[in-house]
Amino acid sequence: MDKPLTATLNIEQPLDLDQYRNKGGYQGFARALDLTPEEVQQQVKEANLRGRGGAGFPTGMKWGFVPMGEDSPGRKYLVCNADEMEPGTFKDRWLMEGAPHLLVEGMMIAAYAISASVAYLFLRGEYRLCATRLEKAIREAEQAGLLGENIQGSGYSLNLHLHTSAGRYICGEETALLNALEGKRAHPRAKPPFPQVVGLFGQPTVVNNAETLCNIPGILRQGPAWYQDLGRGEDAGTKIYGISGRVKNPGLWELPMGAPAKEIFDLAGGMQHGLKLRGWLPGGASTDFLLPEHLDTPMEYDAIAEAGSRLGTGGIIALDDKHCPVGMVLNLIRFFAQESCGWCTPCRDGLPWASEILNRIESGRGSQEDLDELQRLCDFMWMGKTFCALAPGAVEPMSSAMKYFADDFQQHIDKGCCPYRH
Amino acid sequence: MKIAIRTFSYQDHLNEAEIQAIEKACADYEQRPAAAIEALQIVQKQRGWVDDPCLQAVAELLGMSDAELEGIATFYNHIYRRPVGRHVLHLCNSISCWLSDVDELADHLRGRLQVEFGQTSADGGITLLPNVCLGCCDKAPAMMLDGELIENLSKEKLDQILSKLHQGGENG
Ligand SMILES: Cc1cc2nc3c(=O)[nH]c(=O)nc-3n(C[C@H](O)[C@H](O)[C@H](O)COP(=O)(O)O)c2cc1C
Ligand code: SF4
Ligand code: FES
């Protein structure tokens, strides 16, 4: 099986420019330069690549909203979203540490496809090794004339800058990210206008996830048909799936899109000795719980949605039978409450409130009314009532836990203590 | 009422290397305030934290108001607006580390350093802070020590690291 995302990945010592080129690196970019930007967009559309940042938005379609042609704004931006702060998610870090040139090439092709003259790589500050390795890859590309003015005599010019952030989850939301890049407080922006039309510094801008961009070189080099065939089910290509929690061998694997969750659990060797699986989040902290009975579900956007959750980042978090589901939700909600940007009331007030109630229940001081209140809060912070998707994302694990682990919540109240505390 | 007339110049508070590094960051953007977060990190790198005069100096250099820059500085988890110890230890408290019983390590650290999260040990050696998921979830529990990610933590491993820091502190 082809593994285009990890074929050139080396976590100990990533390939330098020459080594990467010897393995076919920058051929995708060379091929792109032979096409018009619109033709590159068309290739990515045909490949049916969907964004790996969590929402699964079709990448080609996203690019298609950018004004093109003679009359379009002279300055456009491509931004790589490498803020990766969703708990339970560590895939972009692996790609950037192990295959920095793959991402740089992906960014170059994407920038060319929308005729952007400047690209930013927005990296979370804690990923220092990524920063060092990406910085080196960018310098090598510059020195080889792959970045800068009139690249390879094509007439196309591109400058690529690394921006290291300083730790705040909301910066990963694409419009908040644009505010952060402008040196403003990173709260989200109203949409419309969409960033593709009015984005960074008011100019047309595309924001793509780092893993999404790593898919682009392969599509250009080997074609949309090849890419489509990589997927096992509805969705095209491969995906970096991960798993953490009390499994035997937590880690990351590149698998065809649509591989069943069970395959990932098997690769991880199943649960640790003496533990049973209670539930799992399919793609990071902001996705709904699923149960062991859902393990055969293909890890692709529509199938996971039908099962009642979201594929999200594809980073599975496994809950075992020795850890308290209420405690797990409390941990998650505390994260979201802390990271709320405070811009809109349901989220700013609702999350600390939910966190307080959960803390009460978890420590055995909760009441029946607390459960009702928690349920109301799920509704209060749901989609359409908040300014961005952070609060609804927080609701997903909470409301699904209250559904699937209702007995556990009830026991905390009836017994006046956490049944899991030893 | 006395009105203070501000005679403030960023050159009095930032050194030449810092100013140059900040100017270099500014060149990457259409507008100077966009370099704010990088500028704060540059200043913090040299000094450990960002004090008021430095914050004002950076604001002046970037053409922003102090309040605007303060709003950014305090927005981020890794810009320190208070003094920190010689070493800063961020222990991850997010979900995969929680499932790996990081709470026990947190208790252990609090006991050994005799501090709560947010405080610096009495000898000024170590500031203990929490951190959201560090992207080390498959090698949980994890922490960031002086910017370096350290994975697969245990009490024994923590003790070793702390002893080493302590020795380093005494010798240097
Ligand atoms: C609170 C919040 C945090 C997010 N964090 C990230 C992130 O760290 N990385 C990322 O790629 N997308 C993140 N997203 C999704 C982005 O808004 C955006 O959808 C994504 O970068 C688009 O890239 P894609 O089309 O390639 O998937 C986040 C969204 C929200 C609401
Ligand atoms: S939902 Fe939360 S994070 Fe999003 S804008 Fe509102 S307060 Fe900010
Ligand atoms: S949860 Fe601790 S590193 Fe991800």
Side-chain angles (χ1 to χ4, degrees), chain A residues 77 120 163-164 183 185 244 323, chain B residues 28-30 41 71-72 101:
Chain A
Y77 293 101
Y120 291 106
H163 173 103
T164 38
R185 239 179 121 92
S244 65
H323 281 89
Chain B
D28 287 352
Y29 303 93
E30 260 184 45
Q41 293 183 77
I72 291 162
D101 299 334

Side-chain angles (χ1 to χ4, degrees), chain A residues 49-59 62-63 79-86 89 91-92 122 124 168-177 188 191 206-213 286 301 310 313 335-336 339 388-393:
Chain A
L49 169 63
R50 296 178 67 173
R52 308 295 199 236
F57 196 84
T59 307
K62 186 183 242 187
W63 297 359
V79 178
C80 167
N81 189 345
D83 195 46
E84 191 164 74
M85 284 183 70
E86 171 93 1
T89 303
K91 65 184 178 75
D92 297 342
F122 190 101
R124 80 175 287 193
R168 194 71 198 259
Y169 174 60
I170 193 61
C171 293
E173 197 281 338
E174 63 180 12
T175 59
L177 185 152
K191 293 191 267 192
V206 161
V207 181
N208 272 134
N209 166 257
E211 184 188 359
T212 308
L213 291 163
S286 62
Y301 298 100
R310 285 191 310 118
T313 61
F335 164 82
F336 290 110
E339 294 297 317
C388 87
L390 184 141

Side-chain angles (χ1 to χ4, degrees), chain A residues 219-256:
Chain A
I219 294 173
L220 266 289
R221 192 157 73 98
Q222 293 178 260
W226 163 84
Y227 186 81
Q228 286 248 346
D229 284 347
L230 291 175
R232 211 178 278 175
E234 292 294 311
D235 289 321
T238 58
K239 164 106 191 75
I240 307 291
Y241 294 107
I243 188 165
S244 65
R246 287 301 184 93
V247 293
K248 283 206 183 85
N249 304 303
L252 293 158
W253 295 271
E254 179 178 9
L255 296 174

Side-chain angles (χ1 to χ4, degrees), chain B residues 120-157:
Chain B
T120 301
S121 59
D123 62 353
I126 299 175
T127 300
L128 180 63
L129 291 166
N131 211 93
V132 298
C133 175
L134 285 163
C136 310
C137 324
D138 56 340
K139 301 183 183 70
M143 69 175 180
M144 193 174 101
L145 177 63
D146 299 333
E148 193 198 338
L149 298 177
I150 305 180
E151 307 173 313
N152 294 317
L153 290 177
S154 60
K155 280 183 195 160
E156 295 69 39
K157 193 163 171 179

Side-chain angles (χ1 to χ4, degrees), chain A residues 168-170 173 176 186-189 336 339-349 351 381 385-392, chain B residues 75:
Chain A
R168 194 71 198 259
Y169 174 60
I170 193 61
E173 197 281 338
H187 55 72
R189 296 176 178 178
F336 290 110
E339 294 297 317
S340 162
C341 82
W343 187 250
C344 66
T345 312
C347 173
R348 182 187 57 235
D349 287 357
L351 284 172
M381 296 188 285
K385 295 176 181 161
T386 62
F387 199 66
C388 87
L390 184 141
Chain B
F75 193 79

